[in-house]
Each structure stands twice: as C-alpha cells, then as structure tokens.
Amino acid sequence: MRFMIMFKADADTEAAAPACMVLPEMGRLIEQLKNDGVLLATEGLKPSASGARLRHSGGKVTVIDGPFAEAKELVAGFALVEVASRQAAVELGERFLRVAGDGTAAEVREVFDEP
C-alpha cells in the first residue's frame, strides 16, 4: 500500500529550508528508508510566496499568487512511502516528526492504486 505523508507548514517552515536540508538526522532517516525500499520519494517545498493556487469554478480557472495566509492549509513537504498498512505509514510519519522537532505536524493519506 502506498501512502502520502504531507508535512504541514507554519510560520517557521515557511521561512526556513526544509528539515531534510539542514538536519543531519533527517538525511540519515531518509537514506535508511530509501535503502529499506520503503521511501519512494520525498521533497521539501519552497515557501508559498513562490507558489500559486488554482480554482476551477463556473467554467473558468482563477489563479491566486502566494503567499497564502492560512498556514494550517499549507504543505511544507511530502514523503511517498510503500508499506503494509496505515499503521506502518503513521509510524513512519511519527519518525519524521520526531526528527523534525516540536511544533511539526503531518497528515497521512492512502494513495489510490489501480484495481
């Protein structure tokens, strides 16, 4: 089963480089999970100031340039993992958050697989 672990942004993560770029422990965790064949992809995202939101409504698309005020709705980065269960994905999310430190948050969602 594949799961996306989305790491949430806050004022600090919007202003700094992703933990994977500055914390040696995060680099070691990522390398270990890659070697174990669990981690399929991971990336940190640049601040929302360099992004855009798109919305399709009434037949047209509206583009809104960042930054975005609602930090609780922002994604700071992601990890795509392949594990046997939701619980295993949650445990991996916990490992990432322990390394990233206090105040960090994540959301774990299963990826649709073709039938």
Side-chain angles (χ1 to χ4, degrees), residues 1-106:
M1 302 168 75
R2 292 180 303 148
F3 290 85
M4 176 74 71
I5 305 170
M6 294 171 284
F7 304 104
K8 299 297 186 158
D10 60 21
D12 293 334
T13 56
E14 276 283 285
C20 62
M21 297 179 72
V22 295
L23 296 174
E25 307 96 294
M26 187 63 76
R28 288 191 291 275
L29 175 59
I30 289 170
E31 193 60 33
Q32 176 192 357
L33 295 176
K34 282 182 182 177
N35 290 340
D36 292 346
V38 172
L39 183 64
L40 304 177
T42 188
E43 297 291 342
L45 302 175
K46 290 187 175 187
S48 66
S50 63
R53 283 191 176 161
L54 292 79
R55 179 175 296 266
H56 182 265
S57 179
K60 67 180 194 173
V61 175
T62 304
V63 178
I64 302 166
D65 292 329
F68 308 117
E70 287 295 321
K72 68 182 180 182
E73 297 177 4
L74 298 179
V75 177
F78 71 90
L80 181 62
V81 299
E82 187 161 8
V83 292
S85 67
R86 177 184 171 273
Q87 182 59 36
V90 167
E91 289 170 5
L92 285 177
E94 290 174 356
R95 288 178 68 186
F96 277 107
L97 293 183
R98 279 194 209 98
V99 172
D102 281 346
T104 57

